[in-house]
Amino acid sequence: QVQLVESGGTLVQAGGSLRLSCVASARTFSIMGWFRQAPGKEREFVASVRWNDGVICYANSVRGRFTISRDNGKNTVYLQMNSLKPEDTAVYYCAAGQNWSAPKTKTYYAYWGQGTQVTVSS
């Protein structure tokens, strides 16, 4: 079965940078994405990348600051986070799915990692 493991979350100062990684045990999906969830809030879309052609989608809140990328050979997706803000503080989840028609919709992703905590201090 597919397993996703996130890593890279830590405490960082506002304005700083951080890179998250997500390693998949298999590549049986067409899209991978990042979501985040802050305490008391719903899980929200951050970014996604289609595996075959690399088409990328970003949430407006992170566009221009975050960059998603993938390494086909390593079955790994990255989220480079720059110019971090306190409101970026959340648990970040890696997700994978077979249907890339609605990349911002969490129900389209069948597989989820356990999350990695990102805390941005102010």
Side-chain angles (χ1 to χ4, degrees):
Q1 60 181 7
V2 174
Q3 292 184 310
L4 306 176
V5 180
E6 306 98 331
S7 63
T10 189
L11 173 67
V12 63
Q13 291 183 317
S17 297
L18 195 63
R19 189 175 78 157
L20 306 182
S21 299
C22 173
V23 181
S25 61
R27 196 172 70 214
T28 58
F29 39 79
S30 62
I31 189 170
M32 293 186 68
W34 289 94
F35 290 74
R36 66 187 183 186
Q37 187 167 19
K41 299 182 65 177
E42 295 184 5
R43 192 171 300 185
E44 65 177 2
F45 172 80
V46 175
S48 66
V49 58
R50 298 205 308 222
W51 201 263
N52 287 340
D53 58 16
V55 172
I56 289 171
C57 186
Y58 292 108
N60 289 336
S61 60
V62 306
R63 185 174 290 109
R65 299 189 298 121
F66 292 9
T67 303
I68 189 171
S69 61
R70 83 269 197 251
D71 187 325
N72 293 0
K74 297 180 179 179
N75 287 346
T76 300
V77 173
Y78 304 95
L79 185 68
Q80 179 66 48
M81 309 162 67
N82 299 325
S83 301
L84 282 162
K85 305 174 181 179
E87 51 263 44
D88 294 319
T89 295
V91 177
Y92 283 71
Y93 296 90
C94 179
Q98 307 284 17
N99 189 340
W100 47 258
S101 62
K104 298 181 179 180
T105 304
K106 64 174 71 70
T107 56
Y108 277 62
Y109 296 84
Y111 309 101
W112 294 84
Q114 295 303 305
T116 184
Q117 177 71 50
V118 174
T119 302
V120 184
S121 63
S122 60

